[in-house]
């Protein structure tokens, strides 16, 4: 297991110097944030980022994410041009030594929460998803802004996207994902870069938009679209584990044994009584609904050698910053994970 940490670039209040001080920290997980979606990341820009990370004493092995343009997901417009650009990004990242690219295929927006600063019983604040709050939201007839939404869309453009995805449906999205994979995976194989899709978060349709990387049956279908070691997973315990229809331990065991897990996001979530609402919690198993020790035990048993990062953390000790991505709680999570892994290694 190689421990890594998400970093949002020079504007991130969590500096590389702070991250470097976390015991056993190996790699930085980052991206180019100032290039429009669908465009090529210039090689010099990528190499500059690599130099910045390595100067801090960390490795530049994992990119999260190279976003997939909506034209690719919808199979319209300039899809072919954007796919060629995506291939070029794989090549440029390979030249910089990148080993894994995390991406997702979620329509319109990324992870969704109904509140970013819910105060928990201990006074910390966390990201939460309450179904009753989400059900009252209307993205097309309000000034709604949620995490993961691309704010560059006008209301009219957003309405058109929703209409296009409604017409496309799940099967159309599957077809476009297969086309995308058949184009990019041969390039990934040539360049030695493993592609790792991130599951939908949460793993069910939001506002009527289709979502397909949600459960075991669908993950099996995804892996079989292009049966290659380079077509793999970012297995996120919080994204899949927030649904009571997913057995997280089974999923970790099955896919890590197949060597198709290239990147692990480890965090805990507390599932609420309605089965479709949840609160993010501290990484410690007792704080949520997932057995983090068991999950790591399974990875250790299956000799997982991929990259792992502590995922979303609470805001604690008065820290302010990017919701879910403060330093303190993620550093605690990293140390918790490291302690478990060391114990497993010494007892095996």
């Amino acid at each position: 297991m190689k421990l890594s940490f998400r970093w949002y670039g020079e504007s991130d209040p969590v500096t590389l110097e702070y991250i470097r001080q976390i015991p056993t920290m190996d790699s930085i997980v980052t991206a180019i944030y100032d290039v429009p979606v669908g465009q090529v990341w210039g090689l010099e820009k990528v190499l500059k980022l690599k130099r910045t990370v390595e100067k801090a004493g960390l490795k530049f092995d994992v990119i999260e994410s190279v976003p997939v343009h909506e034209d690719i997901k919808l199979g319209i417009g300039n899809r072919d041009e954007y796919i060629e650009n995506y291939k070029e990004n794989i090549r440029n990242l390979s030249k910089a030594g990148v080993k894994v690219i995390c991406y997702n295929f979620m329509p319109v927006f990324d992870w969704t929460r109904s509140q970013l600063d819910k105060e928990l019983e201990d006074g910390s604040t966390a990201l939460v998803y309450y179904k009753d709050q989400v059900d009252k939201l209307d993205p097309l007839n309000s000034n709604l802004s949620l995490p993961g939404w691309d704010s560059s869309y006008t209301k009219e453009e957003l309405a058109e996207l929703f209409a296009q995805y409604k017409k496309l449906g799940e099967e159309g999205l599957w077809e476009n994902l297969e086309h995308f994979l058949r184009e990019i995976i041969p390039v990934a194989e040539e360049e030695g870069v493993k592609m790792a899709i991130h599951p939908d978060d949460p793993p069910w349709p939001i506002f009527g938009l289709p979502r397909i990387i949600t459960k075991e049956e669908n993950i099996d279908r995804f892996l079989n679209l292009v049966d290659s070691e380079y077509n793999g997973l970012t297995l996120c315990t919080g994204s899949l584990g927030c649904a009571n229809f997913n057995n997280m331990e089974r999923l970790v065991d099955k896919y890590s044994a197949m060597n198709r897990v290239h990147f692990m996001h480890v965090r805990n979530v507390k599932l609420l009584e309605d089965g479709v609402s949840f609160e993010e919690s501290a990484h410690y198993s007792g704080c949520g609904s997932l057995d983090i020790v068991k999950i790591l035990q399974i990875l250790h048993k299956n000799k997982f050698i991929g990259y792992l990062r502590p995922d979303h953390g609470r805001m604690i000790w008065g820290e302010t910053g990017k919701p879910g991505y403060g330093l303190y709680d993620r550093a605690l999570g990293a140390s918790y994970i490291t302690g478990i892994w060391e114990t497993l290694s010494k007892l095996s």
Side-chain angles (χ1 to χ4, degrees), residues 9 16 29 42 60 62 82-83 97 102-103 116 127 134 177 196 210 226 237 253 265-266 269 272-274 339:
L16 291 173
V29 178
F60 183 70
V62 184
Y82 290 128
I83 288 177
C102 173
Y103 69 103
L116 304 181
L127 307 169
V134 174
L177 176 55
V226 177
T237 63
D253 195 11
H265 288 182
V266 175
V269 289
L272 304 185
E273 289 183 1
D274 65 3

Side-chain angles (χ1 to χ4, degrees), residues 29 58 91 96 120 131 135 158 163 165-166 168 193 222 232 295-296 322:
V29 178
L58 295 157
R91 295 184 183 104
L120 303 180
K131 184 179 184 299
D135 287 347
L158 200 59
Y165 277 112
K166 183 177 180 180
L168 182 71
V193 176
F222 164 78
I295 287 168
L296 291 171
K322 187 177 178 63

Side-chain angles (χ1 to χ4, degrees), residues 226-285:
V226 177
D227 189 8
S228 166
E229 175 190 358
Y230 289 84
N231 179 36
L233 305 171
T234 296
L235 206 56
C236 179
T237 63
S239 299
L240 293 169
C242 68
N244 56 18
F245 53 77
N246 282 325
N247 182 327
M248 204 62 235
E249 294 169 21
R250 173 180 166 80
L251 298 181
V252 171
D253 195 11
K254 178 176 179 176
Y255 299 118
S256 63
M258 294 168 58
N259 294 318
R260 298 295 281 274
V261 179
H262 304 319
F263 192 19
M264 283 292 305
H265 288 182
V266 175
R267 59 180 162 90
N268 210 344
V269 289
K270 182 179 180 181
L271 278 63
L272 304 185
E273 289 183 1
D274 65 3
V276 286
S277 299
F278 59 89
E279 298 172 348
E280 298 192 359
S281 69
H283 288 76
Y284 174 61
S285 296

Side-chain angles (χ1 to χ4, degrees), residues 117-251:
D117 56 357
K118 169 67 178 178
E119 186 169 336
L120 303 180
E121 187 178 353
D122 63 2
S124 62
T125 61
L127 307 169
V128 300
Y129 181 100
Y130 296 147
K131 184 179 184 299
D132 61 335
Q133 292 180 350
V134 174
D135 287 347
K136 295 174 184 176
L137 301 175
D138 184 349
L140 300 182
N141 295 295
S142 69
N143 292 320
L144 175 65
S145 179
L146 291 173
W149 287 75
D150 186 341
S151 59
S152 67
Y153 291 118
T154 65
K155 279 285 168 52
E156 293 74 20
E157 290 169 337
L158 200 59
E160 176 61 22
L161 275 176
F162 271 59
Q164 289 173 313
Y165 277 112
K166 183 177 180 180
K167 182 178 179 181
L168 182 71
E170 285 192 7
E171 284 306 313
L173 191 59
W174 275 113
E175 290 176 9
N176 293 334
L177 176 55
E178 180 174 6
H179 177 81
F180 175 64
L181 293 174
R182 291 193 179 281
E183 288 288 327
I184 68 161
I185 295 303
V187 177
E189 290 173 340
E190 291 171 4
E191 298 294 333
V193 176
K194 292 180 178 177
M195 302 300 300
I197 198 168
H198 190 287
D200 301 340
D201 184 9
W204 51 72
I206 302 290
F207 305 121
L209 294 170
R211 288 189 160 192
I212 56 178
I213 309 301
T214 57
K215 56 187 177 181
E216 183 176 358
E217 175 186 357
N218 289 21
I219 294 173
D220 287 345
R221 179 175 177 178
F222 164 78
L223 293 174
N224 286 324
L225 291 177
V226 177
D227 189 8
S228 166
E229 175 190 358
Y230 289 84
N231 179 36
L233 305 171
T234 296
L235 206 56
C236 179
T237 63
S239 299
L240 293 169
C242 68
N244 56 18
F245 53 77
N246 282 325
N247 182 327
M248 204 62 235
E249 294 169 21
R250 173 180 166 80
L251 298 181

